[in-house]
Amino acid sequence: MTLLKEPDFGTPARDGAPVTLEIDGFAVTVPAGTSVMRAAADLGVKVPKLCATDTLEPFGSCRLCLVEVEGRRGTPASCTLPVEPGMKVRTQTPRLARLRRNVMELYISDHPLDCLTCAANGDCELQDMAGAVGLRQVRYGHDGAGHATARKDESNPYFTFDGSKCIVCSRCVRACEEVQGTFALTIGGRGLASAVQAGADAGFLASDCVSCGACVAACPTATLTEKSVIEAGQPEHSVVTTCAYCGVGCSFKAEMKGEEVVRMVPWKDGQANHGHSCVKGRFAWGYAAHRDRITSPMIRASIHEPWREVTWDQAFAHAASEIRRIQAQYGRGAVGGITSSRCTNEETFLVQKLIRAGFGNNNVDTCARVCHSPTGYGLKATFGTSAGTQDFDSVDQADVILVIGANPTDGHPVFASRMKRRLRAGAKLIVVDPRRIDLVRQPHVAASHHLQLRPGTNVALVNALAHVIVTEGLVARDFVAARCDSDSFEDWTAFVAEAEQSPEATELLTGVPAGEVRAAARLYATGGNGAIYYGLGVTEHSQGTTMVMAMANLAMATGNIGRRGVGVNPLRGQNNVQGACDMGSFPHEFSGYRHVSDDAARAGFEALWGVHLDNEPGLRIPNMLDAAVEGRFKAIYIQGEDIAQSDPNTQHVTAGLSAMECVIVQDLFLNETAQFAHVFLPGSSFLEKDGTFTNAERRISRVRRAMRPLAGLADWEITLGLAAALGVPMHYDHPSQIMDEIAALTPSFAGVSYDRLERQGSIQWPCNEAAPMGTPIMHVDGFVRGRGLFMVTRFVATDERTTQRFPLILTTGRILAHYNVGQQTRRTANVAWHPEDVLDIHPFDAESRGIKDGDWIALASRSGETALRARISDRMQPGVVYTTFHHAESGANVVTTEHSDWATNCPEYKVTAVQVRLSNGPTAWQRDHRQRVAAQTIEPPRIEAAE
């Protein structure tokens, strides 16, 4: 086991015609535009450097990388010097050695000489370069006149800034600008007084810094250092794995000391993140070793009793006997399960296999039910496959970016940084969102159009965009004729051409000025490559599926499908929600999205599994809960999901769970759902297992074990244990064998194997004989379904209406610092940025209710009532309020309703009619919640008497 160190070529790679030059007497050929420094590195020649790194554009400030060029005067910096044909370069001469040592003397004279006690000792580029240039003395003294007394900023919970060790190379400033795109850092002062400043020099925590870690990764000294490194020392070995937070799927090096994580470092070769990260993946991994982790299986007869620790075998036997008892008493269909979007593909596949083959029914569902199930339905109907069309890198070729119902800077920050880089390079942006999200206007990024629609009117707005495209002759007729179904196209054009679909007619519905809609439609249709990126603001509506189809219509009509820079791209919320869907976690589909009634598909599974499988779709999550309340559904196996916090109408969810006789929860912590559980199986974090995740771009990436499972078993082994106790033996020694079975049964995964993943790094499905290396861009030569199908998408208003009693609309979402229900991030220092959920309310609505910033307010709907603190914000439009659901005690889903998408039952989280008023503090529900949490006690293990 070794500590992996990626090579640093000094400057970024370039694309261009080949150029041949000579460096130190050796010929080297590189693309035009390449720096001399990188050309030398390609040759194996290391030119000393401090301000240069290959993740940033060349800067030329440190003057350490000087070279000599035959026929030229002076000693240019090799990082900023582009190669030329026939150029002859010398990187090592007596003059260069003398100059470099002199430069290094100047640096060291202004730097504390505490190397032996420095946290970066052994991992410091300044230290390395002093050795590389042969520095043996410092003629200017060691007083450190410029920065010796610089203050230390420890405000950020994850890293420190020690100004006394800063060499003002500007790498941190440039990383914040070029990589992250936040522009939170600057160089203040002049000469020896020059210093890095965060914001208005108020410290990192108070600045606009988003703690992505790009500055820390770029720093060549100990100026910016992770606090975990200061505490634990330098790591000894590393394991490359995949982040377990959002759907971007960033690759990281878990840098370790034994089984202790020292830090997580973004992997430069990661094909989804290219060496970048966000605050969650980079720093918020401490939950994996948090004291709240449950490490022993537990059972109890009643949810009103304390938990009792048992052995794994006892837990499996008890759970299995309860499932069989319930099936014998209430019928085979009285049990079911939910797979996890946080677990691996292999683990999710096993759970759905256990339910279908072991429980004998199709009562299996996953969290995509409450987020992107309309994506699967809508894209499969129009394009033929239930996933996004592009890879993330495709955004680099987009000319017009249409962001609908997504907040990438908070929900998918690493991809957002890449998107912002493209916007800074000249691409145009259209934002469709009820809130003024960060992308609408921030440093060096501004939307050309912000269509600030009323919640619930997405379909009407997109129909209006389509109306303009059709009636103004902006349709890509050649593309439609060659690639799309003609009859459906004619039906669709006749529909959207109706006067009632025009921007002028829909303005009263959407609240968006007709002129803005027309301008945005023209920009998307005529501005070059048009790419649509969307999120839960599209899917979590009563017309979520209709809206997905409407966006697909828009892309087909303008020919924005099947090449780089275009497409329809869902930004998936959880790390493996795409994979959970791919693995057959829906009650009507096997892996690969084949219907359970498909005789040929079902026969393949039956032959390999040796059992008869039901050909009727099973229950969805809402159906399970309804049936439980009605007394027909009695047991559920929940792998890594917290439906008591995440699902809508909390009172109904908890009523359903309370009515069950056996609730089995498999998770890291005693979450909200565990309050209603009878069996708790302690799960494993992503650091404790092998497997794969599939991200939002269909990219399958390896998850590699960095430490042993704290509870003794990885999640896939837990499912095997439960299956064995149920008499459903599953024989696997390693997750790679599970993937082999997935590949054998799933056409889109037919070419996927761990060996291929090791060779390629990652694979985007479909990967099969037709696409042995995977498929970065879908629908290149034709749609999966044959011809693209246009769908008539008539707007139907939600049944959730504002009234005199509930005059405001609540919409919900996420924030950068937290992930999903917060079970992981709330157990990290991320709470420094978001210690509680708050309600954003427009100044007009606040003033009319006598509400001031920070006041306790009651948030009430026809479903229930909770209390939060108010935050007055002009990001909102009058009549709309907004909150997050990361803290269980906030009870955001106490007020959401049972309304859902017509096709998939995806809840309508984005439209809830509410009233807001001043309050004295927490509600009765919140007080009861605190009591339930406090009642989750664990008895000490029983000691059996010896016989």
Side-chain angles (χ1 to χ4, degrees), residues 538-553:
V538 161
T539 56
E540 291 177 346
H541 287 276
S542 61
Q543 281 198 289
T545 296
T546 308
M547 180 60 177
V548 173
M549 293 174 175
M551 293 185 303
N553 291 341

Side-chain angles (χ1 to χ4, degrees), residues 449-491:
H449 303 283
H450 176 203
L451 309 184
Q452 195 170 14
L453 76 173
R454 294 191 182 101
T457 62
N458 290 347
V459 172
L461 179 65
V462 174
N463 285 344
L465 293 171
H467 175 91
V468 176
I469 290 168
V470 168
T471 59
E472 295 189 6
L474 305 180
V475 171
R477 292 278 176 179
D478 291 344
F479 178 91
V480 171
R483 300 280 302 274
C484 301
D485 177 79
S486 58
D487 290 342
S488 67
F489 174 69
E490 294 302 325
D491 292 342

